[in-house]
Amino acid sequence: MTSKMRRATSDSFFLLIVIACPLLPLVVSTASLSSSLLWQLPKGSTAIVTGGTKGIGNAIVTMLASNFGCRVLTCSRSSEDLDKCLQGQWDGLNVEGIVADVSTSSGREALIKKAKELFGNNDNEEEDECLDILVNNVGANIRKATIDYSLEDT
């Protein structure tokens, strides 16, 4: 197969994807588009993004807070990483963070407690806030049979 044939095959495959999924070009090229051309969220929507200080999680936190006006809570295992983001790129955005390792039950409990503080109605009937978006951006790779998992593994 020549390089021209490979190129043509790749282009044909891309066109097939575009036809099958017409929103793909919007997802792929969001950096050059304004948020008015993308999907919309109600201003002030609430979100939790776990693992939000690096990589995809960081991009999601930034996009939700800056482009969509969401109130975002994120967590990180590193206080240095969290402080760097909160005082740097997220300064002025409605982003709060907590140091929590959600692979532990105490970390998950701390995140839930902080979320209730930020997004709970605080016994005020006029403010009926809740969590609108959850992005679980952390994971673990523990390889065992399903029946061998314990509570500590979750």
Side-chain angles (χ1 to χ4, degrees):
M1 192 184 256
T2 67
S3 62
K4 282 186 176 181
M5 290 178 70
R6 272 190 236 136
R7 175 99 172 116
T9 303
S10 298
D11 291 344
S12 300
F13 180 68
F14 178 74
L15 290 174
L16 178 64
I17 292 173
V18 172
I19 292 168
C21 183
L23 295 180
L24 184 62
L26 288 178
V27 174
V28 172
S29 61
T30 56
S32 63
L33 297 174
S34 70
S35 63
S36 64
L37 297 176
L38 302 173
W39 48 275
Q40 298 292 310
L41 294 171
K43 189 162 176 68
S45 293
T46 57
I48 293 177
V49 180
T50 59
T53 58
K54 295 181 182 176
I56 292 171
N58 182 286
I60 292 170
V61 169
T62 303
M63 181 69 84
L64 287 173
S66 64
N67 289 35
F68 296 105
C70 293
R71 297 174 51 211
V72 182
L73 171 61
T74 191
C75 64
S76 173
R77 292 179 295 175
S78 165
S79 61
E80 294 84 20
D81 291 343
L82 185 61
D83 290 341
K84 181 180 173 184
C85 289
L86 289 171
Q87 296 169 4
Q89 70 188 80
W90 299 334
D91 188 35
L93 297 176
N94 201 347
V95 178
E96 298 219 20
I98 183 172
V99 176
D101 180 354
V102 295
S103 69
T104 66
S105 59
S106 61
R108 292 187 297 271
E109 289 170 11
L111 181 63
I112 291 168
K113 181 180 177 186
K114 185 69 172 178
K116 286 180 179 179
E117 289 173 17
L118 294 174
F119 307 139
N121 66 8
N122 299 320
D123 298 325
N124 184 349
E125 293 179 20
E126 293 177 19
E127 276 189 48
D128 188 24
E129 295 190 78
C130 63
L131 180 63
D132 298 309
I133 303 161
L134 172 62
V135 180
N136 185 20
N137 182 52
V138 296
N141 188 5
I142 303 170
R143 295 175 185 240
K144 345 177 157 178
T146 304
I147 60 173
D148 294 334
Y149 278 91
S150 67
L151 184 58
E152 290 77 30
D153 294 332
T154 60

